[in-house]
Amino acid sequence: VQLVESGGGLVQPGGSLTLSCAASGFTLDYYTIGWFRQAPGKEREGISCVNMSDGDTYYADSVQGRFTISRDRAKNMVYLQMNNLESEDTAVYYCASSHGLGSFNFWRAGAVDHWGQGTQVTVSS
């Protein structure tokens, strides 16, 4: 199982970025894939996930209305469109997956099976 993130970078406040997560080594049934982030000196935060089977999504309050998660099962990809970025969004963003019939709830509880290597997002003028 491998998760590989891409798309991080430097963006000005109010700008946009799209992160991508390429999943390989497993079939997507009964998987939930999403994004955690960790800023310096702060706890890791699960911000958004998508159930790869039925498309259910979750957003943390901190990103609700600004970020959109989507999936492409044919390409084994998960995307995070981030709009109206703020300095508080600066963090390392990690793609992470959970597996099983309850994967959506597992993920939201932080019970993650696999992690990507992380990609840095910096929001600064």
Side-chain angles (χ1 to χ4, degrees):
V1 175
Q2 189 175 20
L3 302 172
V4 178
E5 305 97 333
S6 61
L10 173 64
V11 63
Q12 292 186 344
S16 298
L17 275 178
T18 300
L19 303 183
S20 300
C21 176
S24 62
F26 58 96
T27 57
L28 296 178
D29 292 336
Y30 306 117
Y31 269 89
T32 292
I33 298 176
W35 299 87
F36 286 79
R37 68 184 181 185
Q38 188 162 23
K42 294 187 177 181
E43 291 187 358
R44 186 180 62 198
E45 177 188 18
I47 58 171
S48 183
C49 68
V50 59
N51 185 311
M52 300 302 286
S53 296
D54 62 18
D56 280 351
T57 58
Y58 160 77
Y59 297 96
D61 289 344
S62 57
V63 304
Q64 178 75 48
R66 300 187 298 122
F67 291 10
T68 302
I69 194 167
S70 61
R71 77 196 199 280
D72 186 332
R73 285 180 57 97
K75 296 182 179 179
N76 284 10
M77 296 290 294
V78 173
Y79 305 97
L80 186 68
Q81 173 68 43
M82 306 185 294
N83 296 327
N84 195 20
L85 283 161
E86 305 166 351
S87 57
E88 291 78 14
D89 296 314
T90 295
V92 178
Y93 285 69
Y94 298 91
C95 183
S97 68
S98 296
H99 179 247
L101 288 176
S103 66
F104 193 69
N105 290 329
F106 298 161
W107 195 100
R108 293 181 59 184
V112 169
D113 302 315
H114 300 285
W115 295 90
Q117 82 285 357
T119 185
Q120 176 71 45
V121 172
T122 302
V123 184
S124 175
S125 56

